[in-house]
Amino acid sequence: QVQLVESGGGLVQPGGSLKLSCAASGSMFRLYAMGWYRQAPGKQRELVAAITSIGSTNYADSVKGRYTISRDNAKNTVYLQMNSLKPEDTTVYYCKARYGRGDYWGQGTQVTVSS
């Protein structure tokens, strides 16, 4: 069982930045594939950014050039640096870990972009 705890969400003005963190349990974190997702009310959860165990990354088209995913295996943590935030980025962001046959989710953190 992998437990995930997100942090770093909050209220930011358009054009601003936030950095989300996701701390994972377990001694095999370096083998986890990690991802950040978001889900707006009434919509499906969508992939925002992902990073493999060897550091390969991919991004949704809507966030390319603005968001950066990274990981620190020594701290069992994955990050999402979000720059040039827009009001349409407002929603709950979730961290996901994939390891073995399991997918594990965090509880989510709210990001609100508003003036």
Side-chain angles (χ1 to χ4, degrees), residues 47-66:
L47 175 68
V48 174
I51 186 166
T52 69
S53 60
I54 60 171
S56 298
T57 59
N58 68 285
Y59 298 90
D61 287 343
S62 59
V63 306
K64 281 181 181 176
R66 301 190 297 124

Side-chain angles (χ1 to χ4, degrees), residues 5-6 12 16 26 40 52 60 64 76 87 103:
V5 179
E6 300 106 331
V12 63
T52 69
K64 281 181 181 176
N76 275 29
D103 284 343

Side-chain angles (χ1 to χ4, degrees), residues 39-45 91:
Q39 185 170 21
K43 295 188 177 181
Q44 286 190 329
R45 193 168 294 188
T91 190

Side-chain angles (χ1 to χ4, degrees), residues 8-52:
L11 173 64
V12 63
Q13 292 186 341
S17 299
L18 281 177
K19 187 174 185 177
L20 306 182
S21 300
C22 173
S25 66
S27 61
M28 306 302 286
F29 176 79
R30 70 187 186 281
L31 300 181
Y32 301 172
M34 302 297 298
W36 286 98
Y37 290 72
R38 63 188 182 187
Q39 185 170 21
K43 295 188 177 181
Q44 286 190 329
R45 193 168 294 188
E46 62 174 357
L47 175 68
V48 174
I51 186 166
T52 69

Side-chain angles (χ1 to χ4, degrees), residues 84-103:
S84 302
L85 283 162
K86 305 174 182 180
E88 51 263 43
D89 295 319
T90 295
T91 190
V92 180
Y93 285 70
Y94 298 89
C95 176
K96 189 188 88 170
R98 172 165 289 179
Y99 177 60
R101 296 182 179 181
D103 284 343

